[in-house]
Amino acid sequence: MLEKLSKWKSTISSREKNKDIDDINVPRHIAIIMDGNGRWAKLKGLPRVAGHHEGMKVINKIVRKADELGVEILTLYAFSTENWKRPKTEVDYLLKLPERFLNKELPTLIEKNVKVRLMGSIEQLPEHTQRAVTKAMKETENNTGLVLNFALNYGSRYELINAVKDIAKEVESGSMSVEDIDESVISEHLMTAELRDPDLLIRTSGELRLSNFMLWQVAYSEFWFTDVLWPDFNEQHLVEAIAVYQKRARRYGGV
Ligand code: V07
């Protein structure tokens, strides 16, 4: 009885915590630019890599919360094609994080029915990184829950160049005519072909730019920016972003 009561109490309190948002209009696809890890470390007098490690620990919490709220797809910008310009020691460290994350979290992701998915040029990554992410994708490929889509060595212009090349080849071979090229043809040639476009884009750390992230896909997305640095980002910030999204949707629906 006491146990039942405490279960009931915890249900109530989790509803209370989410009181700012309604269950109906939850964004189905949320994309996040996880910025501010280096800055977080610097403010604490730590090396940049300490910020990256701390940032990695946040992902878990956000995946859990997104799943609880009914989000279907969570896309996280982990490594951009521009990140290669950083010092080699930092790049080497960053490219160890997928393995570190997955070594610890893959069993939980499997248990939670999460499907791990990647977008980006995986072939250019170190062998050890490729092995870890391929294993994660394989072991979760039949999962039917939240899609956790990591943008890894991803750049939107590169993605668009490849889409244009693929479409041009199909036209050249005669399997498509120029007149057939429309929005859906382009969407289907992007690395997000089987995903819906993001409903909500979040960027942390006060930068108000897209930085070559999903340029085509966010054409109609709502944007939410915060000064909070990614390692300080928590479940309540996610709830806040969704609340703002819902308020805008209501306004939009009202006119
Ligand atoms: C990275 C931690 C989060 C903050 C942003 C930069 C640093 C998780 C991954 C990851 C990637 C693929 C995958 C599983 C996990 C990751 C990089 C950096 C390169 F299948 N965090 N994280 N990858 N950071």
Side-chain angles (χ1 to χ4, degrees):
M1 177 62 191
L2 218 60
E3 198 192 347
K4 258 195 184 155
L5 197 66
S6 79
K7 256 194 195 146
W8 175 73
K9 262 170 48 194
S10 80
T11 315
I12 296 290
S13 67
S14 95
R15 273 200 206 125
E16 286 270 294
K17 268 191 289 177
N18 300 334
K19 67 182 182 309
D20 299 338
I21 61 181
D22 69 60
D23 303 345
I24 311 299
N25 194 23
V26 171
R28 293 170 63 184
H29 181 176
I30 301 180
I32 310 182
I33 303 176
M34 308 179 289
D35 200 8
N37 303 286
R39 182 125 40 105
W40 180 92
K42 198 174 174 196
L43 285 168
K44 289 206 144 38
L46 298 168
R48 285 177 63 82
V49 293
H52 297 317
H53 188 256
E54 199 63 25
M56 186 181 74
K57 294 201 281 182
V58 173
I59 293 177
N60 226 340
K61 290 194 284 190
I62 300 309
V63 170
R64 244 170 239 261
K65 190 68 183 179
D67 193 27
E68 176 201 318
L69 296 171
V71 173
E72 294 166 30
I73 308 162
L74 186 64
T75 293
L76 302 176
Y77 206 0
F79 192 87
S80 79
T81 46
E82 283 74 38
N83 284 159
W84 292 106
K85 294 179 195 146
R86 295 193 180 172
K88 184 173 186 306
T89 49
E90 188 179 340
V91 169
D92 288 348
Y93 184 89
L94 282 167
L95 294 178
K96 282 186 190 125
L97 291 181
E99 281 162 274
R100 280 215 195 154
F101 177 88
L102 293 166
N103 279 340
K104 186 153 176 284
E105 305 301 339
L106 187 56
T108 322
L109 294 173
I110 291 170
E111 188 191 306
K112 294 236 170 240
N113 196 22
V114 170
K115 180 171 178 161
V116 176
R117 190 190 179 283
L118 266 286
M119 62 174 190
S121 308
I122 309 301
E123 332 76 57
Q124 289 160 22
L125 296 170
E127 201 75 50
H128 61 92
T129 315
Q130 290 192 41
R131 251 200 313 274
V133 299
T134 310
K135 175 170 173 266
M137 284 192 287
K138 230 184 174 149
E139 290 187 13
T140 62
E141 69 186 347
N142 295 319
N143 287 0
T144 55
L146 180 98
V147 174
L148 180 54
N149 181 36
F150 285 102
L152 194 58
N153 197 19
Y154 172 85
S156 191
R157 288 188 174 182
Y158 179 81
E159 176 189 40
L160 283 162
I161 290 166
N162 278 316
V164 170
K165 283 184 181 169
D166 289 343
I167 295 166
K169 277 180 205 155
E170 288 174 43
V171 171
E172 199 173 44
S173 76
S175 64
M176 197 193 309
S177 82
V178 170
E179 279 65 41
D180 293 336
I181 302 171
D182 60 8
E183 286 194 16
S184 67
V185 167
I186 297 186
S187 293
E188 283 157 18
H189 284 82
L190 300 176
M191 293 165 176
T192 46
E194 64 269 38
L195 306 178
R196 60 182 278 115
D197 288 340
D199 304 288
L200 173 63
L201 172 88
I202 296 174
R203 180 167 190 160
T204 58
S205 190
E207 304 299 340
L208 308 179
R209 288 175 271 116
L210 273 180
S211 302
N212 205 15
F213 187 56
M214 300 184 93
L215 301 178
W216 174 273
Q217 296 91 335
V218 300
Y220 297 101
S221 309
E222 292 290 339
F223 290 7
W224 188 77
F225 297 103
T226 176
D227 288 336
V228 172
L229 307 175
W230 178 253
D232 295 325
F233 194 85
N234 62 30
E235 295 93 331
Q236 259 335 99
H237 297 119
L238 181 69
V239 168
E240 193 187 329
I242 296 175
V244 171
Y245 167 88
Q246 294 186 334
K247 237 179 255 157
R248 292 185 199 166
R250 272 195 294 277
R251 216 163 40 215
Y252 195 60
V255 287

